[in-house]
Amino acid sequence: MTVAVLGSGPVGQTAALLLARWGVPVVLVDEHEVRDPVGSKAICQQRDTLDVWASLGAGCLAEEGLTWTTARTFHRDTELFSLNLPDGGSALPPFVNLSQARVEEVLDELIEQQPLIDVRRGHRVTGLTQGACVEIHCETVAGPRRIEADYAIAATGARGEVVRRALGQHLEGVSFRDLFLICDIRADLPGWAAERRFYFDPPWNPGRQVLIHPCPGSQFRIDWQVPEDYDLAAEETGGALDKRIRAILGDRPYEVVWRSVYRFHTRLVERMRTGRVLLAGDCAHLVAPFGARGLNSGVADAENAAWKLAWVLRGHAGEELLESYHAERHAAAVENAEVTTATMDFLVPQDEARRERRAEVLAGGVHAEVDSGRLAEPFWYAGSPLTTPDPGRPFAGRPPRGTLPPPGPGVLLPDVTVVPGGRLRDLAREGFLLLTTPGVDAGGVRSVEIPVGGVLGARPGEAWLVRPDAYVAAVLQDPADIGRALQRATFT
């Protein structure tokens, strides 16, 4: 009973730790002998990602990360609007910025303490075959190696073409022509430490955009949209990079800690589950970073995959449950692609009509139509085959920007403490949980009584069935339906 996790970036690390918490032995495979300790990379972690990591013992990431609560959007020198992020009643911040290198360091420390995780570094995956098990073929300095596992999670990132090809999958979609220059800069910028700033067409990057994120240690991550023929080396040697930075910072000392140039993509695989292999994170979907939906969606992939693999391996559910991983997480990837593509279409209009419309929106201050990135949020499994609909709580679709849908079937539980036993999400992560209103018989299912009304808006006589990833599977008025809802939520 083993799962191979291919790739030990934050998504693979999270998947390995979650599986081990469910008691599943893991072989964690990565091609690199050592990690790159520098570079912000995926820096923006959303509350629900922090919650998953806290449940694994990495609560320090929320504490170490720089909390920002305000997102400001500018057109040239004029501020168009600001968005204050709601606290949602959670003890965790809505977003923190923390370098990917530090996240990996903390998760590595937890992995080292976990006897169920066998780490194989310096193993470059060269092939993958399936039958009664999964066989992973690797190349190492000591020669070829073969690893067998019952199932595998492939979190090998955007460059995981070997795995995708072996599964008959490809990242289909589009790549954006313009490039983005990213610099991590250490400098003293008073008043900028708790807010994200987005600039449309600023004087110091005319015709294009700039995004500024604060980071711990007086560092700032600055993203400039630049032309497709941009040459970083030439700009560094000619002094233009210093001028670019000083146009923002002014005449103050600074240090460039890391810099890179990226091209952004919107690409998805057709299938996130192929037999015994589940694709997760950038190996399955690539989206532009505006809105921070890449890493955060990948961590959600990991949690969804981990509990379902654990249930199948424990014999609590048949292998059909794994098909719901594709159904749920591919739908989430499609939504992320739609959201980020809309943002990129606004940032980089592809035709004259769109350019004219964007200019009208920015000049006219039509704030509701200004798209600088809808920030990462959970995906809601209202249409999942595992979710039992409630006619009294119909899902109204994606809520307005910066808000969450009311609790109900397919929605992630609010991150609140409403029972003597502690946080609802922590209780849910011990297995399926039934939340009952007074007088309701749980029928032998692990349960906690909740008050009528309250944060969930529970009604008299209701029972709420919650999945191991803290999503609501069903809201039931008749306790006799609990068994059927549980069967639906596990495909049994």
Side-chain angles (χ1 to χ4, degrees), residues 209-223:
Q209 281 64 249
V210 174
L211 175 64
I212 304 173
H213 267 284
C215 300
S218 296
Q219 286 193 31
F220 293 84
R221 153 86 170 256
I222 306 180
D223 297 37

Side-chain angles (χ1 to χ4, degrees), residues 114-293:
Q114 178 50 259
L116 288 176
I117 301 178
D118 176 9
V119 180
R120 309 278 182 90
R121 290 202 169 278
H123 282 58
R124 182 173 60 86
V125 176
T126 57
L128 181 150
T129 57
Q130 298 188 68
C133 65
V134 181
E135 292 188 4
I136 300 104
H137 304 275
C138 302
E139 187 64 44
T140 75
V141 294
R145 294 289 184 269
R146 183 169 62 90
I147 298 170
E148 290 188 359
D150 294 282
Y151 296 95
I153 296 175
T156 46
R159 298 177 180 174
E161 187 59 28
V162 168
V163 173
R164 289 191 295 266
R165 191 184 309 117
L167 301 174
Q169 298 298 314
H170 303 280
L171 285 171
E172 302 289 348
V174 298
S175 298
F176 296 95
R177 291 171 54 191
D178 274 26
L179 302 174
F180 286 82
L181 164 66
I182 298 175
C183 289
D184 293 347
I185 295 170
R186 184 175 290 115
D188 183 18
L189 292 174
W192 289 32
E195 57 188 44
R196 185 209 74 167
R197 292 176 168 234
F198 192 102
Y199 291 86
F200 288 101
D201 192 21
W204 22 271
N205 199 37
R208 290 183 167 85
Q209 281 64 249
V210 174
L211 175 64
I212 304 173
H213 267 284
C215 300
S218 296
Q219 286 193 31
F220 293 84
R221 153 86 170 256
I222 306 180
D223 297 37
W224 289 267
Q225 181 189 347
V226 294
E228 58 182 319
D229 60 353
Y230 175 79
D231 187 335
L232 173 58
E235 192 165 280
E236 285 182 306
T237 56
L241 181 62
D242 176 69
K243 293 179 181 178
R244 179 186 293 276
I245 293 170
R246 292 204 176 280
I248 299 175
L249 304 187
D251 187 20
R252 52 166 49 91
Y254 73 87
E255 174 190 0
V256 177
V257 179
W258 177 77
R259 75 279 184 279
S260 187
V261 177
Y262 285 98
R263 187 183 303 279
F264 295 149
H265 314 270
T266 299
R267 295 183 177 275
L268 312 176
V269 295
E270 183 179 357
R271 296 276 310 165
M272 288 182 64
R273 179 231 174 176
T274 302
R276 294 177 174 272
V277 183
L278 309 182
L279 300 179
D282 285 355
C283 189
H285 43 74
L286 295 175
V287 294
F290 298 102
R293 289 172 175 260

Side-chain angles (χ1 to χ4, degrees), residues 436-454:
T436 60
T437 51
V440 174
D441 182 2
V445 180
R446 188 173 66 95
S447 64
V448 171
E449 187 174 291
I450 58 172
V452 171

Side-chain angles (χ1 to χ4, degrees), residues 384-408:
S384 167
L386 304 189
T387 301
T388 300
D390 176 9
R393 288 183 173 81
F395 184 65
R398 189 184 304 159
R401 183 166 53 184
T403 65
L404 296 173

